[in-house]
Amino acid sequence: MFSLKDVKKIEWTQVEPEPLGGDLAEDLGKIINKFVKFALNDWWKKKGFDKESKLEYLSLKGPVDRMIRQSVYVAKTIAACVKFKFYNEEEVGHKLFVARDRYMKLLRSCLFHHCANSEGGWGMTYEQLPIVTELLYVCWLVWDKLNTNDQQFAINVLNYQASQAMDYKIEYNFNPDGSSTNLDDCQTILNMDHANLLYLISVMVSKTNKATVLREKAILAYRACFSSQNDGDMQGYNVAEDMLLHRFDTRSPFATSYIGVGIKAYIFSKIAEEDLPSGVIRNFKEIYTAFYTNETNAEGKRNGLFTIYDKKNRPTGGVLYPDGTRGGRVNESAIYVMDIFAYCLGYEDVLDTNCLKWAKVRMKEIERNFKKNPKYTIQGCTQYRFLHGEAVCSELADCYLALFLYLVSKKAESNYVDKFSREEYVGETEQE
């Protein structure tokens, strides 16, 4: 389908990767560096990778979704640190070249062990779509660092997954008449996973004719993700009249928070210097507002719809339940992504308390969780969220990159005041 010559090399014509100083992104950078310290030391040794340093490819301990997921997330987070130049050698305890060598080793190993390149490899189930998207995205970011053989491995993965995704049939949790036979998979999540993968591939090979077909399928899947019962222009819907996503006949915070996953498309389009398709943010403002309206009362205190914490099973906190038994769970970091995405889209003041302030509240929660348990940032890979969820470290890396791309472009405009300035951030925190 596609070859090496079809991949569009990222041209940083408007943006040169550099650390963001004086922004909330700097606070993000500090937390990410703490995770990288854990990943390059404790995690690396626990996986036995220190004993495999002389091997061409790491074993990754078999084609298990959970193992591959952790390796891809670690590689992505370290790569973001290095690529955008906020890697802190003193904090992490390793020189820059060590971090670069290790994330490249992880990337190359994940590519090699994919079923497109190795018999019996990983990547054959739809649960692994988010991992493939992350892997191809990071490979694209560091494309010039991959050798020709590894680039071909990446193309093999891209072609295999693109073919699978194009055959995917877009479906809905509910039929137009409100009936539903879907009792297992959440179609919003499946649609979004396919949409992100297809959209990423379309921008990676945007100079080819086939890219248009991929993008059209991606946009249709994005629109279906958050099609509302009020819209009536699709073959079904996922968003009910209350503008929350319903799953298993109950309101689902997990599925609703998935509107934040659209931040990936925002990042992809910004890097490719293209406009974000409107289908990606279909009903975003309404769903985002409804989520917070149901989560809090007029005084800004939590109501209880999404607020029963399972402290026994998840000591780090951050697990939110809906008003039903099968609605799913969501981490604070997933909601944090929603806040940052809303800010980047310009929806700062759609709530009584704007998304910038909510982002600060979420950041405090993430910091508390991390202090209690350094494993918190990848704990999502082994508890509850191992199928469709994102590890915290990967979500925070997305937030950093989105903020970077947004702020750098906005700073080019005249009379722009950086609302993520550290002075304002600290000042408001002290007042609270």
Side-chain angles (χ1 to χ4, degrees):
M1 184 182 293
F2 299 106
S3 62
L4 288 177
K5 63 180 178 61
D6 293 327
V7 176
K8 177 184 177 181
K9 184 179 179 181
I10 298 176
E11 300 290 347
W12 300 100
T13 56
Q14 295 182 1
V15 178
E16 177 63 28
E18 61 180 354
L20 285 173
D23 301 305
L24 179 59
E26 186 175 315
D27 297 299
L28 269 171
K30 288 182 178 180
I31 292 183
I32 293 173
N33 269 291
K34 288 180 180 178
F35 162 75
V36 171
K37 177 181 179 180
F38 169 77
L40 289 181
N41 292 282
D42 297 358
W43 181 84
W44 191 266
K45 292 179 181 178
K46 182 179 179 181
K47 301 305 179 187
F49 293 154
D50 54 329
K51 300 177 182 178
E52 301 179 3
S53 58
K54 295 182 180 180
L55 299 178
E56 185 175 5
Y57 300 106
L58 300 172
S59 66
L60 301 185
K61 314 308 176 186
V64 182
D65 171 70
R66 189 172 301 169
M67 293 303 301
I68 301 297
R69 184 181 294 274
Q70 287 192 2
S71 297
V72 172
Y73 287 153
V74 169
K76 172 188 172 181
T77 308
I78 300 173
C81 253
V82 173
K83 184 71 176 179
F84 289 82
K85 302 179 181 179
F86 63 96
Y87 179 81
N88 189 324
E89 291 184 345
E90 185 176 347
E91 168 69 27
V92 175
H94 288 288
K95 294 294 185 181
L96 183 65
F97 74 88
V98 175
R100 184 182 293 111
D101 289 347
R102 290 188 179 180
Y103 82 68
M104 287 300 298
K105 193 90 172 216
L106 286 170
L107 284 181
R108 297 179 63 246
S109 301
C110 290
L111 289 172
F112 174 76
H113 289 294
H114 189 273
C115 62
N117 300 309
S118 296
E119 185 176 353
W122 68 279
M124 293 184 285
T125 64
Y126 65 82
E127 289 94 342
Q128 296 168 339
L129 283 175
I131 315 175
V132 174
T133 303
E134 300 281 28
L135 177 60
L136 289 176
Y137 166 51
V138 184
C139 287
W140 189 39
L141 276 181
V142 297
W143 192 256
D144 57 335
K145 303 296 182 183
L146 296 174
N147 60 42
T148 303
N149 191 48
D150 292 323
Q151 288 179 346
Q152 186 58 56
F153 279 161
I155 289 296
N156 294 342
V157 173
L158 183 151
N159 285 329
Y160 176 89
Q161 299 292 170
S163 177
Q164 297 286 322
M166 282 302 294
D167 291 337
Y168 168 71
K169 180 182 178 182
I170 296 173
E171 297 184 357
Y172 305 83
N173 288 331
F174 299 95
N175 300 316
D177 62 0
S179 63
S180 175
T181 57
N182 173 34
L183 299 176
D184 296 311
D185 299 320
C186 178
Q187 300 307 319
T188 289
I189 296 171
L190 292 178
N191 289 340
M192 180 62 86
D193 288 343
H194 282 87
N196 279 335
L197 175 62
L198 287 169
Y199 186 68
L200 169 63
I201 295 176
S202 76
V203 296
M204 287 180 67
V205 297
S206 59
K207 59 184 180 182
T208 67
N209 294 330
K210 295 179 182 178
T212 301
V213 178
L214 294 170
R215 181 163 309 192
E216 289 176 350
K217 180 68 176 286
I219 294 174
L220 187 61
Y222 279 128
R223 292 183 68 239
C225 286
F226 308 109
S227 55
S228 168
Q229 185 177 8
N230 303 323
D231 296 329
D233 63 338
M234 306 293 282
Q235 297 178 356
Y237 67 91
N238 295 310
V239 183
E241 291 182 349
D242 59 7
M243 295 311 294
L244 293 172
L245 272 79
H246 285 231
R247 179 186 178 199
F248 312 129
D249 299 321
T250 187
R251 289 173 286 189
S252 171
F254 178 41
T256 302
S257 72
Y258 236 64
I259 55 173
V261 182
I263 200 172
K264 297 183 186 299
Y266 175 86
I267 294 172
F268 302 157
S269 62
K270 279 288 186 180
I271 290 176
E273 298 181 354
E274 299 177 359
D275 292 332
L276 181 70
S278 59
V280 178
I281 55 175
R282 178 183 175 91
N283 293 322
F284 182 100
K285 185 183 296 186
E286 292 78 9
I287 298 171
Y288 180 71
T289 304
F291 184 97
Y292 275 93
T293 301
N294 282 274
E295 193 196 26
T296 62
N297 59 25
E299 289 74 36
K301 297 181 179 180
R302 295 180 172 180
N303 274 332
L305 176 61
F306 301 153
T307 57
I308 303 174
Y309 281 76
D310 185 354
K311 294 292 186 181
K312 181 178 180 181
N313 295 323
R314 186 70 174 261
T316 56
V319 179
L320 306 176
Y321 288 78
D323 55 348
T325 58
R326 302 182 61 196
R329 307 170 178 87
V330 58
N331 286 339
E332 288 286 346
S333 58
I335 311 176
Y336 183 82
V337 174
M338 289 172 55
D339 295 328
I340 297 300
F341 193 23
Y343 179 76
C344 292
L345 293 175
Y347 299 157
E348 182 180 354
D349 297 314
V350 299
L351 307 170
D352 292 336
T353 302
N354 65 43
C355 56
L356 171 58
K357 293 182 178 179
W358 277 119
K360 296 173 184 178
V361 173
R362 304 296 182 191
M363 175 58 78
K364 292 178 184 178
E365 185 69 23
I366 293 171
E367 287 176 331
R368 283 195 293 268
N369 290 336
F370 188 90
K371 288 179 181 178
K372 293 177 182 177
N373 182 4
K375 298 179 182 179
Y376 167 71
T377 49
I378 59 173
Q379 197 164 19
C381 298
T382 56
Q383 283 187 280
Y384 301 135
R385 306 184 69 210
F386 64 94
L387 287 179
H388 303 292
E390 307 295 342
V392 176
C393 59
S394 177
E395 291 175 333
L396 296 184
D398 280 339
C399 289
Y400 186 95
L401 298 183
L403 278 175
F404 174 85
L405 293 165
Y406 172 77
L407 292 173
V408 169
S409 62
K410 291 296 289 184
K411 285 178 180 178
E413 299 178 9
S414 59
N415 301 321
Y416 174 71
V417 178
D418 179 9
K419 295 182 180 180
F420 273 94
S421 67
R422 171 165 297 280
E423 290 72 23
E424 180 184 352
Y425 179 48
V426 174
E428 290 186 2
T429 302
E430 291 175 349
Q431 291 176 8
E432 294 172 0

